[in-house]
Amino acid sequence: MRHRAPEGLRAAAVQTDTHPGFMTDWQTPLMVLFTQSQGMSVLHETVFENRLVYVPALQKMGCEIEVFDQCLGGPACRYHDTNARHSAVVRGVSRLKGADVTLPDIRAGFSAVLAAAVADGPSTLRGVHHIERGYHRPFEQFVSLGLNITRQR
């Protein structure tokens, strides 16, 4: 799949939801895309309570993301009266830098690989077993996309 944005990427507000809504699994790569979009984007997670667990790794790479326990970007959800941090505001365009990050789960792993691909300088991703467990031959596929990956033992 290829797309172009000749005039650059623009900010957006997205709320995850169950089918037929915007899938929660797609919000991790979308968060990285938001960091490269002009302006302030909002992501409101309504499906899983702790889905934004990957944000600290992206912040370490230079992503300007702030996480909130309020419902942003859509109507109140089932987390509106909890302390669950389930909404994020993303400022773009962020210049990302390589970093040493640990991946807490498969979705976080995918977002970190995307951020590392955009970042200036090398990144070290720890916890890649999450990616290996969830994708078919991920290292070969990332290399085929032009990423320079070195596997350390």
Side-chain angles (χ1 to χ4, degrees):
M1 181 183 307
R2 290 182 186 207
H3 294 279
R4 288 189 209 185
E7 297 176 24
L9 300 171
R10 293 187 308 250
V14 172
Q15 175 170 296
T16 65
D17 205 349
T18 56
H19 181 77
F22 187 83
M23 291 187 346
T24 187
D25 288 354
W26 290 354
Q27 61 103 327
T28 53
L30 181 65
M31 187 82 80
V32 176
L33 187 65
F34 280 167
T35 71
Q36 301 306 298
S37 302
Q38 190 66 42
M40 302 285 259
S41 294
V42 176
L43 190 129
H44 181 206
E45 171 61 47
T46 69
V47 180
F48 289 105
E49 182 176 358
N50 198 24
R51 183 65 86 198
L52 301 179
V53 68
Y54 64 95
V55 169
L58 295 181
Q59 289 169 326
K60 193 172 180 183
M61 298 176 92
C63 297
E64 296 182 60
I65 303 169
E66 192 169 353
V67 180
F68 298 90
D69 60 4
Q70 295 90 12
C71 298
L72 304 175
C77 71
R78 63 184 169 160
Y79 304 120
H80 78 279
D81 61 352
T82 71
N83 291 328
R85 298 177 68 185
H86 66 286
S87 292
V89 174
V90 184
R91 181 190 313 236
V93 173
S94 295
R95 185 176 181 127
L96 306 187
K97 61 186 183 308
D100 187 328
V101 297
T102 300
L103 316 175
D105 63 29
I106 187 172
R107 290 161 200 83
F110 190 65
S111 69
V113 169
L114 291 175
V118 175
D120 292 329
S123 291
T124 300
L125 307 180
R126 301 180 191 284
V128 296
H129 63 278
H130 296 295
I131 298 171
E132 293 172 312
R133 189 180 71 224
Y135 296 104
H136 175 69
R137 299 176 52 199
F139 296 99
E140 292 86 350
Q141 292 189 38
F142 293 142
V143 168
S144 75
L145 294 171
L147 293 171
N148 181 8
I149 297 177
T150 303
R151 179 134 191 165
Q152 297 175 345
R153 299 276 176 192

